[in-house]
Amino acid sequence: MPAWLEQAWQGKLSLLELTSAAEGLVRAGHPVAAVALYRAWLRVPRTSHDHLAWFNLGALLAQLDDPAGARDAYLSAIARAPGFLQARFNLGLVYERLGHSDAAIGQWRTVARLASAADPDGRALKLLALNNLGRHLEDLKRYAEASAALTESLLIEPDQPDVIHHWIFERAKQCLWPVHEPLPGLDVDKLWAHTSALAMIAMTDDPQAQLAAAQRYVRDKLGGGIRPALAQPRAHGHRRIRIGYCSSDFRQHPVAMLTAELFELHDRSAFELYAFDWTPEDASPLRQRIKRAFDHFIRIDGLDDEAAARLIRSHEIDVLVDLHGQTMGARPGIFTWRPAPIQITYLGLPATTGFPFIDYVIADRFLIPPEMAPFYTEKPLYMPGVYQVSDRRRTVGPTPSRQACGLPEQAFVFCCMNNNYKITPAMFDVWMRILQQVPASVLWLLADNEQAPENLVREAVARGVDPARLIFAPRTSPADYLARYALADLFLDTFPFNAGTTANDALWMGLPVLTLSGRTFASRMAGALLTAAGVPELITFDAATYERRAIELANRPDELAGLRARLAEAREASPLFDIPGWVQAYEARLKELVAQLPA
């Protein structure tokens, strides 16, 4: 190394020799020395190819987790060769890491505009730029721009399964119907074949289709999900059962909102609690509360899946609980190593995960009737009351006025605060017919992004409904969101993806929820909650009955008042909100599972 460094300093190394020497240092485990070598060589401009050395330096610094240094190196490369598109693409990645979204988007747009699809290298780079634009713009909820980028990508190369499933989900989030809009080279059947498991549960009530989507993910992304098991199927024999919860959602997130009190109420004389966490820090009071609830709170975001699994195994966890399934932030690769003898999925994905390495899914007999269990790769772990735990400590803000929320004072307010992608054209048809048959009514919906309200208003007009009867609520704090429910008269649930946490919140606030239950987990969530709350008459099983019941309830104020009174009682004395009882029943199930393991 000293000889190379001296030669570089003296200008005696060619670019090829420099690159070869630096690659040798990296292979030998000395990337920092390779950085020093590049810096020595670049201290004085020498050739028309200096931009390549700056590019290589930028790539090294990015690998060494120095995004600011990588940015400066890529900028130096671009200053010397403005048309060097690979450097611009990498610079976009670095800007993203630095949190400079607009700068990242600008670089990728430039690459997408300038790269030529006529030659293989330019085509590949153009697709990378368009796909990164789509991904990042989706993260920013700029769905129309994201869809445009991915559409351009698919018009160049239709056979991109990952791009297809993001494109489909982005259309669903915008309520841009039909969601499965054919493109050249992509017919409807192919689009359905590449719909993700999470998007699929909002689009079909077919349990076989959901199972197939989940298993396709396991095959394509996890190589079948089979690895050597780290933990043997036997009890570790500790005085307390060790239970680990794995998530990137220990923050202001629906899963955390439901589970916070569960963690707090675990019997510490019988259970030792571990959190294996890769959550982005949000400094929320809920995250701090969850941290305090665990005996051990261990960050694993710096570990790859195998290392994380080995760490979990080293703690001799008896029961490992996945709170993700196939949702954003999931790390199923950890579970493929089977670091615990019992592995359970809970709450994250309201469907089968398709994971052959997950043993159980927490359920109740309404949620997953025994006859539907064959459509789950997991065995249902039945709870006696309801599958869903919740939190009695949720904070409620002051009740706003209808005027402050843009609601008419005298109107009957139907509401649905579910995510926009859960709204389907078929259910929207039903809602519009309900509005037409209840003249003095409005529909209050969540404005989850800029595009969805525009598209829903257009769809309402096409169905002959005055767009002024659709009122949109922006996202707000959890406490103020809960307070809004006091202004609504009836919650209209979505199908085939019911309200989950949202239904729990509405019922906690005493708002009746009318649901349509089908055959799948997602389409039976609200029905399970209503059964536990003791108001099964709010469950319907076909669209015609759902529509008729909504109209009846809007015209029967006494019946609605009676339902509200029963929900107020349910808050104090129903299985739905008996959280200590839920935790005791859950712990009993876990003790049974551990007792069944060989010693």
Side-chain angles (χ1 to χ4, degrees):
M1 167 61 186
W4 284 336
L5 188 60
E6 184 176 351
Q7 289 173 9
W9 191 267
Q10 294 174 353
K12 295 180 179 179
L13 279 184
S14 69
L15 178 63
L16 182 61
E17 290 170 330
L18 167 70
T19 302
S20 177
E23 288 175 351
L25 288 169
V26 171
R27 285 196 300 271
H30 304 297
V32 175
V35 168
L37 185 62
Y38 273 115
R39 291 196 186 283
W41 194 89
L42 286 164
R43 68 184 184 88
V44 177
R46 291 179 174 82
T47 74
S48 60
H49 299 296
D50 283 2
H51 62 285
L52 297 174
W54 281 111
F55 176 82
N56 290 346
L57 175 60
L60 264 177
L61 291 169
Q63 292 172 19
L64 291 170
D65 199 24
D66 181 5
R71 174 200 59 203
D72 294 344
Y74 288 136
L75 285 170
S76 293
I78 293 166
R80 288 158 178 79
F84 189 9
L85 297 185
Q86 183 65 60
R88 289 189 179 276
F89 176 79
N90 285 19
L91 179 59
L93 295 176
V94 168
Y95 276 137
E96 183 183 17
R97 287 175 63 185
L98 291 168
H100 301 159
S101 288
D102 288 344
I105 290 167
Q107 292 299 325
W108 292 329
R109 287 199 193 282
T110 298
V111 174
R113 186 180 72 253
L114 297 179
S116 171
D119 69 89
D121 290 341
R123 184 172 184 270
L125 195 56
K126 191 181 192 77
L127 291 175
L128 277 174
L130 289 168
N131 295 344
N132 274 273
L133 272 171
R135 173 189 56 78
H136 191 57
L137 288 165
E138 181 180 4
D139 291 342
L140 297 174
K141 291 193 172 185
R142 292 164 60 177
Y143 298 128
E145 296 171 82
S147 295
L150 295 189
T151 299
E152 185 177 351
S153 175
L154 291 171
L155 290 173
I156 296 169
E157 174 51 71
D159 189 17
Q160 298 185 80
D162 285 347
V163 177
I164 293 169
H165 85 71
H166 277 282
W167 181 79
I168 289 168
F169 208 9
E170 286 168 7
R171 289 178 65 84
K173 289 173 181 177
Q174 297 172 77
C175 300
L176 189 57
W177 303 329
V179 170
H180 294 92
E181 177 71 41
L183 290 173
L186 288 173
D187 59 21
V188 171
D189 289 342
K190 186 169 286 189
L191 292 173
W192 273 104
H194 294 303
T195 301
S196 68
L198 182 58
M200 185 72 79
I201 61 181
M203 298 176 190
T204 178
D205 188 43
D206 181 350
Q208 181 59 53
Q210 293 188 9
L211 174 61
Q215 291 179 321
R216 184 170 59 248
Y217 175 90
V218 174
R219 182 191 68 234
D220 296 345
K221 298 297 184 183
L222 299 175
I226 304 301
R227 293 185 185 275
L230 295 178
Q232 297 302 311
R234 61 171 180 264
H236 289 298
H238 300 292
R239 182 179 64 83
R240 295 188 292 169
I241 293 172
R242 296 184 178 181
I243 180 168
Y245 292 93
C246 297
S247 186
S248 70
D249 294 330
F250 292 133
R251 55 190 168 94
Q252 202 65 54
H253 184 277
V255 168
M257 293 174 189
L258 289 174
T259 53
E261 192 171 8
L262 159 64
F263 305 142
E264 293 167 338
L265 291 180
H266 262 305
D267 178 4
R268 291 306 200 277
S269 69
F271 290 87
E272 187 171 2
L273 262 67
Y274 290 76
F276 297 102
D277 172 60
W278 59 99
T279 303
E281 289 289 348
D282 68 354
S284 65
L286 182 59
R287 177 161 174 78
Q288 301 311 310
R289 178 184 167 193
I290 288 174
K291 281 185 174 182
R292 292 192 298 270
F294 281 90
D295 299 303
H296 312 276
F297 200 90
I298 303 169
R299 290 201 66 95
I300 60 171
D301 45 326
L303 302 176
D304 65 24
D305 289 345
E306 181 181 355
R310 292 189 181 280
L311 173 68
I312 292 168
R313 173 65 184 86
S314 73
H315 287 285
E316 297 189 342
I317 302 300
D318 298 296
V319 180
L320 193 63
V321 182
D322 163 41
L323 293 173
H324 271 291
Q326 295 183 24
T327 58
M328 183 178 294
R331 293 183 62 179
I334 293 172
F335 289 80
T336 64
W337 292 94
R338 279 200 165 269
I342 298 168
Q343 300 192 159
I344 297 173
T345 189
Y346 186 43
L347 287 179
L349 181 74
T352 182
T353 63
F355 294 157
F357 42 85
I358 295 292
D359 306 304
Y360 299 95
V361 56
I362 296 172
D364 60 57
R365 291 183 182 275
F366 185 96
L367 185 77
I368 304 178
E371 63 270 21
M372 302 307 294
F375 296 102
Y376 294 78
T377 56
E378 314 87 353
K379 183 178 179 180
L381 186 64
Y382 285 122
M383 297 291 291
V386 66
Y387 82 100
Q388 190 186 83
V389 72
S390 55
D391 181 19
R392 298 167 301 168
R393 291 177 53 190
R394 63 193 103 180
T395 302
V396 181
T399 302
S401 67
R402 279 196 168 189
Q403 182 180 13
C405 295
L407 297 169
E409 290 293 342
Q410 303 304 317
F412 186 94
V413 177
F414 295 106
C415 86
C416 181
M417 294 300 167
N418 289 353
N419 287 317
N420 295 150
Y421 71 84
K422 293 186 178 185
I423 303 172
T424 63
M427 185 54 73
F428 196 72
D429 287 341
V430 174
W431 288 353
M432 295 304 98
R433 290 196 298 269
I434 291 169
L435 289 183
Q436 288 168 336
Q437 295 174 78
V438 183
S441 66
V442 296
L443 179 58
W444 195 20
L445 300 171
L446 176 68
D448 196 32
N449 59 78
E450 291 182 5
Q451 293 77 38
E454 297 174 4
N455 291 326
L456 289 172
V457 163
R458 186 182 65 251
E459 296 289 343
V461 171
R463 290 161 175 79
V465 174
D466 181 353
R469 297 180 69 187
L470 269 61
I471 298 166
F472 295 92
R475 288 195 177 273
T476 187
S477 69
D480 289 340
Y481 145 76
L482 288 172
R484 287 173 174 170
Y485 283 122
L487 306 182
D489 295 297
L490 181 64
F491 189 111
L492 295 179
D493 198 10
T494 46
F495 178 89
F497 196 167
N498 287 175
T501 306
T502 311
N504 189 300
D505 288 335
L507 295 172
W508 177 256
M509 296 303 298
L511 177 65
V513 175
L514 180 68
T515 195
L516 173 55
S517 291
R519 296 175 292 164
T520 58
F521 186 131
S523 69
R524 298 180 69 84
M525 292 190 297
L529 303 189
L530 291 165
T531 299
V535 285
E537 61 266 48
L538 289 168
I539 305 171
T540 67
F541 296 94
D542 62 80
T545 305
Y546 175 101
E547 182 178 330
R548 186 178 68 252
R549 282 291 287 149
I551 296 164
E552 288 173 353
L553 289 167
N555 289 294
R556 295 177 183 175
D558 291 345
E559 184 176 358
L560 265 184
L563 287 166
R564 282 187 176 276
R566 288 164 59 191
L567 287 174
E569 294 172 1
R571 183 165 164 166
E572 302 299 327
S574 76
L576 180 57
F577 297 120
D578 177 13
I579 311 308
W582 193 97
V583 174
Q584 290 173 11
Y586 170 58
E587 290 180 340
R589 293 288 184 271
L590 298 184
K591 289 175 182 177
E592 291 169 3
L593 294 181
V594 173
Q596 292 167 10
L597 292 171

